[in-house]
C-alpha cells in the first residue's frame, strides 16, 4: 500500500506539473526544497504538523481519550465502564468507543504479550453481566484474529468462533443494542457466513439501527469482491442503502466507499477520478457531508475518504475545505491502510495545498466550514 501511495503521489505531481507549466509558462506548481521561501507550506493554513497528527481516532473524542489515558495508566476498568454506560446505544459514538477500547487492549497485548490489556480481562471477570464489557471483549477478539493470525488458519477461525459466542452473550445483556450484531458482521466476513445467514444477521442490525453508518461500512466489506460478493453486489448494496437514506444521513456517501473497495492498484492518473461513476460517488459524499449534523461521529470517516478522492481529481478548493475540518486526526481509511497513516495523510494534504495555491488560493481565501 505504501508503494501504491508513492506511485500515486509521483503520478499526480507529474500530471500537475505538466498541466500548470503548460498553462502558466513555467509558473504554477514546481518542486521546492523544504523551507524554501516559495514552497507551499501547510503550516500557513494552521494545519497540524505530521508528527503531531493523532492516528488513534478519525475525529475528536476528548472524553474517550481522557478515559483511555486513565485506564491504561492505572489498569482500572471502571472509567471505561462508566463512559460506555453513559453513551447512547443507538448512535455511532458507542460503536466507535467500543472499537477504541478493544483496539487499545489488543495493542497493549501485542506490545506486552501475556500481560497487556489486563484491565479488559479484569473488567469481564469482575463484571460479567456488564454489556459494555462483553461488547468490548467481542470486538477485542475480532481485532486479535486479524492482528495475530490470517484468514483460513485454524487459530483465526477459533478466535472468531469465540468472538461469535461473546457477541451472543453481549446481545442477551443488552436487548435492542445494535453493537453486538455490528461486531458480528466482521465475524461473518471472517468465517464466511452463507448469504442467508448473513442476511438474517443484517436484518437484526437494521431493526435496531437502520441508518448506522458504521454498520453499513462493515456490511459493505462482506459484499465486496475480495470477500464474499462482487463489485456489482457491493455497488448494489451501497446504491440501495444510499437511496433509502433520509435527509441528514451519511449513507449517501456509501457508493464512494464501494468504489474505494474496488480500486485497482494501477490507478495512477487523475482521469480515473473524473469518470462518471467516481464523480457521482464523490457528489453523493459531498452532499452527505453538507447535509449531515456537524457533530455526527461518523462524519470524519466520510470526510477522510472523500478528500482522498478530491485531491487526485484536482478539486483543490473542495479538498481544502475538507482538510480544514479534518485536520488533527488521521485514524480512518484510507490512511490506516498504510504502515504510516500520518505520512500518507500529510502527503495528500501537501498536494492539496500545492494545487490550491497554483490556482490562486491562499490562507486568506480559504473558507472555514
Amino acid at each position: 500500500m505504501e508503494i501504491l501511495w508513492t506511485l500515486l503521489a509521483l503520478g499526480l505531481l507529474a500530471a500537475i506539473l505538466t498541466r500548470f507549466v503548460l498553462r502558466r509558462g513555467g509558473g504554477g506548481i514546481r518542486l521546492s526544497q523544504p523551507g524554501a521561501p516559495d514552497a507551499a507550506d501547510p503550516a500557513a493554513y494552521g494545519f497540524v504538523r505530521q508528527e503531531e497528527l493523532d492516528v488513534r481516532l478519525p475525529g475528536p473524542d476528548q472524553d474517550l481519550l481522557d478515559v483511555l489515558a486513565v485506564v491504561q495508566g492505572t489498569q482500572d476498568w471502571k472509567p471505561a465502564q462508566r463512559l460506555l454506560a453513559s453513551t447512547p446505544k443507538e448512535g455511532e459514538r458507542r460503536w466507535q468507543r467500543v472499537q477504541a477500547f478493544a483496539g487499545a487492549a489488543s495493542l497493549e497485548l501485542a506490545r506486552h504479550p501475556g500481560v497487556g490489556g489486563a484491565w479488559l480481562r479484569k473488567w469481564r471477570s469482575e463484571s460479567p453481566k456488564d454489556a459494555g464489557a462483553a461488547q468490548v471483549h467481542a470486538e477485542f477478539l475480532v481485532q486479535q484474529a486479524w492482528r495475530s493470525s490470517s484468514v483460513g488458519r485454524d487459530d483465526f477461525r477459533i478466535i472468531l468462533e469465540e468472538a461469535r459466542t461473546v457477541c451472543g452473550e453481549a446481545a442477551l445483556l443488552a436487548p435492542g443494542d445494535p453493537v453486538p450484531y455490528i461486531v458480528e458482521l466482521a465475524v461473518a466476513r471472517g468465517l464466511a457466513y452463507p448469504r442467508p445467514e448473513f442476511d438474517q444477521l443484517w436484518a437484526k442490525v437494521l431493526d435496531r439501527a437502520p441508518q448506522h453508518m458504521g454498520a453499513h461500512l462493515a456490511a459493505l466489506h462482506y459484499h465486496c469482491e475480495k470477500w464474499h460478493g462482487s463489485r456489482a453486489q457491493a455497488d448494489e448494496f451501497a446504491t440501495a442503502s444510499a437511496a433509502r437514506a433520509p435527509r441528514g444521513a451519511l449513507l449517501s456517501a456509501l457508493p464512494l466507499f464501494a468504489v474505494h473497495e474496488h480500486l485497482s492498484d494501477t490507478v495512477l492518473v487523475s482521469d480515473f477520478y473524473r469518470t462518471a461513476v467516481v464523480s457521482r460517488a464523490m457528489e453523493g459524499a459531498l452532499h452527505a457531508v453538507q447535509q449531515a449534523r456537524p457533530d455526527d461521529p461518523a462524519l470524519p470517516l466520510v470526510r477522510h475518504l472523500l478528500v482522498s478522492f478530491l485531491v487526485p481529481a484536482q478539486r483543490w478548493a473542495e479538498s481544502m475545505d475538507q482538510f480544514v475540518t479534518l485536520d488533527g486526526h488521521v485514524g480512518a481509511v484510507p490512511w490506516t491502510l498504510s504502515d504510516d497513516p500520518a505520512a500518507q495523510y500529510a502527503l495528500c494534504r501537501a498536494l492539496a495545498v500545492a494545487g490550491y495555491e497554483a490556482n490562486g488560493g491562499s490562507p486568506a481565501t480559504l473558507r472555514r466550514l
Side-chain angles (χ1 to χ4, degrees):
M1 184 57 71
E2 277 193 85
I3 293 174
L4 172 61
W5 272 103
T6 301
L7 291 172
L8 175 59
L10 291 174
L12 279 171
L13 282 172
I16 295 167
L17 281 166
T18 300
R19 178 186 177 199
F20 288 104
V21 167
L22 289 174
R23 285 183 56 194
R24 301 179 65 171
I29 296 177
R30 58 187 182 279
L31 297 176
S32 301
Q33 294 297 319
D38 59 346
D41 182 9
Y45 295 83
F47 290 146
V48 175
R49 293 168 60 89
Q50 178 180 325
E51 58 270 25
E52 297 173 351
L53 291 166
D54 192 326
V55 301
R56 296 170 295 178
L57 300 173
D61 187 349
Q62 194 58 49
D63 289 342
L64 171 63
L65 294 179
D66 290 344
V67 168
L68 266 176
V70 172
V71 169
Q72 294 187 300
T74 66
Q75 293 296 296
D76 180 5
W77 54 267
K78 294 182 182 64
Q81 189 275 334
R82 288 193 292 269
L83 182 64
L84 278 187
S86 65
T87 305
K89 64 183 180 182
E90 64 275 3
E92 305 278 348
R93 183 73 74 189
R94 184 179 180 89
W95 167 232
Q96 291 183 3
R97 287 174 171 174
V98 165
Q99 287 182 298
F101 283 129
S106 181
L107 286 172
E108 275 187 43
L109 185 59
R111 292 168 183 159
H112 306 287
V115 295
W119 56 269
L120 177 54
R121 293 190 290 275
K122 289 174 61 180
W123 187 4
R124 276 291 272 159
S125 63
E126 294 175 10
S127 188
K129 299 300 183 182
D130 182 21
Q135 291 171 8
V136 174
H137 183 203
E139 175 63 17
F140 166 82
L141 290 168
V142 168
Q143 294 192 29
Q144 278 296 103
W146 262 274
R147 182 169 282 119
S148 63
S149 186
S150 56
V151 178
R153 289 182 48 171
D154 288 343
D155 56 344
F156 179 83
R157 173 169 288 275
I158 289 169
I159 296 171
L160 286 187
E161 289 287 2
E162 184 180 358
R164 183 179 191 175
T165 299
V166 179
C167 284
E169 296 171 0
L172 291 174
L173 290 170
D177 192 329
V179 170
Y181 301 102
I182 299 174
V183 176
E184 193 178 348
L185 291 172
V187 176
R189 176 162 51 100
L191 294 181
Y193 281 20
R195 183 62 183 269
E197 186 176 356
F198 178 86
D199 288 343
Q200 290 175 4
L201 172 61
W202 182 236
K204 294 176 182 177
V205 175
L206 291 181
D207 284 345
R208 292 159 176 81
Q211 309 302 330
H212 199 290
M213 187 65 179
H216 280 78
L217 292 176
L220 177 64
H221 290 306
Y222 178 92
H223 293 284
C224 287
E225 189 173 67
K226 59 188 175 184
W227 286 104
H228 310 297
S230 65
R231 184 188 300 262
Q233 289 175 17
D235 288 343
E236 181 183 0
F237 173 79
T239 302
S241 299
R244 293 194 299 267
R247 181 180 177 86
L250 286 167
L251 296 182
S252 298
L254 209 59
L256 188 64
F257 284 87
V259 170
H260 177 264
E261 287 294 327
H262 295 91
L263 276 180
S264 167
D265 285 353
T266 60
V267 174
L268 301 175
V269 295
S270 62
D271 288 350
F272 168 80
Y273 293 89
R274 297 177 179 176
T275 61
V277 170
V278 178
S279 294
R280 282 197 301 270
M282 282 195 287
E283 292 304 324
L286 281 167
H287 175 76
V289 300
Q290 290 163 0
Q291 298 296 322
R293 301 189 330 270
D295 62 346
D296 190 322
L299 184 54
L301 298 174
V302 178
R303 291 191 186 276
H304 279 293
L305 187 70
L306 175 58
V307 79
S308 75
F309 277 79
L310 290 172
V311 171
Q314 299 179 19
R315 295 171 66 164
W316 310 118
E318 291 167 301
S319 65
M320 290 294 283
D321 289 343
Q322 303 305 318
F323 276 119
V324 167
T325 303
L326 281 176
D327 206 59
H329 299 82
V330 296
V333 171
W335 328 119
T336 51
L337 299 177
S338 85
D339 292 333
D340 192 343
Q344 301 307 327
Y345 172 89
L347 170 62
C348 189
R349 187 181 64 185
L351 287 170
V353 171
Y356 183 66
E357 293 189 355
N359 282 270
S362 71
T365 62
L366 185 63
R367 294 190 306 164
R368 303 284 170 174
L369 298 180

